[in-house]
Amino acid sequence: MSLPFVGSRISLISKSNIRFVGILHSINQQESSISLEQVKSHGTEGRMGNPSEEIPPSDQIFSFIIFRGADIKDLHVITNAPAPAPPPAQPVMPAGYPIGPGMNPYYAQQQQALAFQQQQQQQYWQQSQQQTPQPAVPAPAPVP
């Protein structure tokens, strides 16, 4: 089962009032947790009310962080996951293009080789018949 928001950019505020932004990697319902990848900490951004308690943002990008649901104060989607790429278009074959069973790319080569082989066999048999001396049929004897 694929979750619709996996791959979306998520903003999460922890119970410690620190905002994290990252890409939603997974949601684990059994453990009540979510995991983000490529996570940046933006600090408390003035949510503490007391400047001495504020936590500054960090330039470090964390590759992966798991957050327990009990530690999350707020969570929202910043941008949705990119839409999956549409399937590639089927190639359009020009008129007269030889199409064979299963679209085998070697089908045309196989057919040409088979036709050549059949042509060679036919020529061989024609030549062998021309070279084989025909038994002479005696002329009918004159009737007296």
Side-chain angles (χ1 to χ4, degrees), residues 21-93:
V21 174
I23 306 295
L24 180 62
H25 179 267
S26 65
I27 298 173
N28 186 326
Q29 294 176 351
Q30 287 78 23
E31 295 181 13
S32 297
S33 66
I34 68 164
S35 58
L36 301 179
E37 54 188 17
Q38 300 173 18
V39 186
K40 181 170 179 170
S41 170
H42 291 270
T44 53
E45 302 173 311
R47 281 182 285 279
M48 298 303 285
N50 183 351
S52 65
E53 295 177 355
E54 294 294 328
I55 298 172
S58 172
D59 290 333
Q60 182 178 2
I61 303 291
F62 299 94
S63 59
F64 194 83
I65 300 178
I66 298 173
F67 295 91
R68 294 184 310 202
D71 295 335
I72 299 171
K73 184 176 181 179
D74 184 41
L75 182 139
H76 67 275
V77 177
I78 298 173
T79 56
N80 288 328
Q90 293 295 324
V92 177
M93 301 295 179

Side-chain angles (χ1 to χ4, degrees), residues 127-138:
Q127 289 174 356
S128 65
Q129 287 177 351
Q130 291 172 355
Q131 293 175 357
T132 305
Q134 299 294 326
V137 179

